[in-house]
């Protein structure tokens, strides 16, 4: 019983760690795109936002596990 509960807690923690990792990955890509366009005087940051497609996220999460 105790072991099962600990396993559930570890699964929840792992899920949120993976979610954070994919979010950081998207932010890193976004920053890279902004850095590329930094030379422009008027940067619309939202225009450079990148969302990682589902299959790429899934592959990344499998790799991180």
């Amino acid at each position: 019983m105790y072991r099962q509960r600990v396993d559930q807690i570890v699964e929840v923690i792992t899920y949120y760690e993976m979610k954070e990792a994919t979010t950081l990955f998207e932010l890193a890509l976004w920053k890279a795109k902004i850095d590329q366009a930094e030379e422009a005087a008027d940067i619309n940051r939202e225009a450079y936002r990148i969302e990682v497609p589902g299959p790429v996220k899934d592959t990344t999460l499998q790799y991180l596990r």
Side-chain angles (χ1 to χ4, degrees):
M1 178 71 173
Y2 176 75
R3 178 68 180 161
Q4 184 181 14
R5 185 70 175 150
V6 170
D7 288 343
Q8 289 175 337
I9 293 170
V10 168
E11 283 182 34
V12 170
I13 291 170
T14 302
Y15 169 78
Y16 283 103
E17 285 177 342
M18 298 293 183
K19 186 173 178 156
E20 181 182 9
T22 57
T23 301
L24 289 174
F25 181 60
E26 287 179 342
L27 289 172
L29 290 174
W30 187 17
K31 180 169 179 0
K33 284 296 242 180
I34 290 172
D35 287 347
Q36 287 176 356
E38 200 171 56
E39 296 172 2
D42 194 20
I43 297 175
N44 178 3
R45 294 173 64 93
E46 198 62 36
Y48 291 96
R49 186 161 193 160
I50 298 172
E51 187 166 328
V52 178
V56 175
K57 279 186 185 178
D58 293 341
T59 303
T60 304
L61 289 176
Q62 287 177 353
Y63 173 76
L64 292 174
R65 284 187 178 181

